């Protein structure tokens, strides 16, 4: 199973790390690179821990697709692992980490990323796509309390929205997989929870939630067979999106008629 070119994700992190000034503290540098909330130590260590998994994820895919190239990866793997180990000493300066991200490391990692891209073909999401998804979800969060949903429905929707937002924040580390998994869990909830499904289909904010899931699936990939969802749930989401589009189109027509 492809993990979405972990070498490409690691390369992006390394290249960004090379732009950080040498005298910045390691703590502040990682906060900037990984989008960590200021002074949120647990969040930083969690995300840094995920970054530490990337070299082995790369090697697992190199072994699968290019077994003869395993030895050629040893230099960059060693350098990156040294840098990440230094990254746990958050009281020091960034040059202690940055020194390991030399030109040879970057070049070898670029080759690994290009090799995996040839067999996986995954394109990185643009910042505009990530921002659009994030904006849609944040809008729903802001509207949620004002709508006539049950307390349990609000709690469930809020939980799924926050999970997807967290996956968006960690995209540069985890790729599409985290976004897909969080979105699939939301659809799975709709599959097994009939009461939630009824509330979603009968409230404006619920429909926006369903429409946002469809929008996200359109960018990162739709629900696949491994989810074992009932056939009615994807159709349910599509029906909601269709009804919302019709309402929007009628509204535009009414505005045009009034303007005349």
């Amino acid at each position: 199973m492809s993990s979405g070119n972990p070498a490409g994700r690691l390369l992006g992190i390394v290249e960004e790390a090379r732009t950080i000034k040498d005298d910045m503290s390691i703590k502040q540098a990682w906060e900037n690179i990984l989008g960590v909330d200021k002074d949120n130590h647990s969040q930083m260590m969690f995300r840094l821990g995920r970054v530490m998994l990337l070299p082995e994820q790369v090697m697992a895919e190199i072994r699968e697709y290019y077994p003869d190239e395993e030895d050629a990866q040893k230099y960059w793997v060693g350098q990156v692992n040294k840098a990440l180990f230094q990254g746990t000493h958050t009281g020091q300066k960034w040059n202690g980490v940055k020194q390991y991200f030399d030109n040879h490391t970057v070049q070898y990692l670029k080759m690994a990323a290009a090799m995996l891209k040839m067999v996986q073909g995954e394109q990185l999401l643009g910042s505009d796509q990530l921002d659009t998804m994030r904006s849609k979800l944040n809008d729903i969060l802001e509207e949620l309390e004002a709508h006539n949903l049950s307390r349990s429905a609000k709690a469930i929707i809020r939980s799924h929205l926050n999970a997807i937002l967290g996956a968006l924040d960690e995209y540069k580390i985890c790729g599409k997989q985290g976004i897909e998994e969080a979105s699939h869990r939301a659809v799975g909830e709709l599959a097994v929870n009939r009461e939630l499904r009824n509330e979603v289909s009968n409230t404006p904010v619920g429909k926006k939630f369903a429409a946002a899931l469809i929008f996200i699936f359109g960018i990162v990939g739709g629900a696949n067979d491994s989810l074992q969802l009932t056939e009615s749930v994807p159709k349910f989401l599509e029906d909601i999106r269709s009804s919302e589009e019709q309402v929007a189109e009628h509204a535009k027509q009414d505005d045009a008629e009034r303007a005349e």
Side-chain angles (χ1 to χ4, degrees), residues 3-219:
S3 60
N5 200 344
R9 300 200 301 276
L10 182 57
L11 176 63
I13 291 169
V14 168
E15 290 183 327
E16 187 173 351
R18 279 161 56 95
T19 69
I20 301 292
K21 293 181 179 179
D22 290 355
D23 61 351
M24 183 177 287
S25 72
I26 288 178
K27 173 179 173 295
Q28 186 179 355
W30 281 127
E31 285 178 349
N32 291 348
I33 295 168
L34 303 181
V36 173
D37 298 333
K38 183 176 175 58
D39 295 327
N40 190 331
H41 182 72
S42 61
Q43 185 184 59
M44 184 174 73
M45 297 311 295
F46 179 75
R47 291 185 182 177
L48 183 57
R50 289 193 165 195
V51 175
M52 289 178 171
L53 296 176
L54 288 177
E56 180 51 36
Q57 290 175 7
V58 176
M59 291 308 299
E61 301 213 1
I62 291 292
R63 294 184 196 106
E64 179 177 354
Y65 297 113
Y66 303 100
D68 295 338
E69 297 294 327
E70 183 175 355
D71 287 344
Q73 315 304 313
K74 287 183 177 179
Y75 179 80
W76 75 257
V77 171
Q79 291 294 99
V80 169
N81 282 336
K82 289 175 185 176
L84 293 174
F85 176 76
Q86 289 295 320
T88 61
H89 303 297
T90 56
Q92 299 179 10
K93 297 297 183 182
W94 186 241
N95 62 346
V97 173
K98 188 176 176 179
Q99 63 178 318
Y100 296 106
F101 296 143
D102 56 57
N103 291 334
H104 291 300
T105 296
V106 172
Q107 290 304 315
Y108 289 136
L109 188 51
K110 279 184 178 179
M111 285 190 285
M115 286 161 47
L116 293 184
K117 184 177 180 180
M118 287 179 63
V119 294
Q120 296 176 356
E122 179 173 320
Q123 298 296 318
L124 295 177
L125 298 179
S127 59
D128 57 335
Q129 292 174 302
L130 295 171
D131 288 343
T132 300
M133 287 188 281
R134 192 177 287 110
S135 176
K136 286 179 178 290
L137 299 178
N138 280 323
D139 285 348
I140 297 169
L141 271 177
E142 290 178 3
E143 294 179 22
L144 197 57
E145 294 305 321
H147 283 271
N148 188 26
L149 283 166
S150 66
R151 182 178 300 177
S152 61
K154 288 180 180 179
I156 292 169
I157 293 173
R158 188 185 303 110
S159 174
H160 287 300
L161 289 172
N162 285 326
I164 300 171
L165 284 166
L168 289 171
D169 289 342
E170 295 177 1
Y171 170 72
K172 69 167 62 177
I173 307 171
C174 303
K176 291 181 182 179
Q177 185 174 357
I179 305 171
E180 289 175 340
E181 289 175 353
S183 301
H184 287 161
R185 284 194 293 270
V187 174
E189 184 85 49
L190 290 169
V192 300
N193 191 332
R194 181 179 298 177
E195 291 182 4
L196 176 66
R197 196 159 67 240
N198 289 337
E199 289 200 63
V200 165
S201 63
N202 289 306
T203 59
V205 73
K207 291 179 180 180
K208 287 185 73 172
F209 173 57
L213 292 176
I214 285 290
F215 179 80
I216 290 170
F217 284 138
I219 293 177

